[in-house]
Amino acid sequence: DPEARRLCFERLAPRRRDAPLTFDLPDIATPEDAIEAANAIPALIADGVLAPREGAVLHSVVEQRRIVLRAQELEARRAAEDARYAEKRRAMAQALFGEEEPFGREER
């Protein structure tokens, strides 16, 4: 039966709902780059390169990338601030007690 065979093949190898897309988008290495890429999406939709639904999905991907990059940026700033604090603490201990860490405390 051809209909049964078609149904079996659709179950074994379903049709792709989404096809890969080919278009130019700026590299996204910083949160600002993600904003630039997000600003390019409406033009891609207007030019017919992307369907509105594809544009919405792409915008979600770009936004998630922006969030990750921003979190990495904040973590790097926090680590740098921790290092500055530790250095100030060591300098203060040296000035006050003449040693790296008073009372034998270790750095956390």
Side-chain angles (χ1 to χ4, degrees):
D1 179 21
E3 184 65 21
R5 189 174 30 224
R6 184 186 63 79
L7 289 172
C8 287
F9 281 126
E10 285 180 0
R11 295 278 187 240
L12 293 173
R15 291 182 188 165
R16 278 183 80 160
R17 294 179 185 251
D18 297 323
L21 302 172
T22 304
F23 55 88
D24 290 328
L25 197 63
D27 288 338
I28 302 174
T30 66
E32 292 76 21
D33 293 342
I35 292 169
E36 184 180 326
N39 289 336
I41 294 171
L44 293 171
I45 294 170
D47 293 342
V49 176
L50 294 176
R53 181 173 287 182
E54 293 168 335
V57 169
L58 181 59
H59 188 273
S60 295
V61 170
V62 169
E63 178 62 12
Q64 289 301 312
R65 178 74 175 139
R66 185 194 67 78
I67 290 168
V68 167
L69 290 169
R70 181 70 174 137
Q72 289 174 336
E73 188 178 84
L74 291 173
E75 178 58 27
R77 288 171 58 188
R78 186 198 62 76
E81 185 63 30
D82 286 351
R84 282 192 297 275
Y85 174 75
E87 183 56 38
K88 285 180 182 180
R89 184 176 165 197
R90 278 191 288 280
M92 185 179 288
Q94 180 70 29
L96 292 174
F97 303 104
E99 57 187 60
E100 284 286 321
E101 282 295 322
F103 313 113
R105 289 189 301 173
E106 292 183 14
E107 203 59 42
R108 290 183 191 188

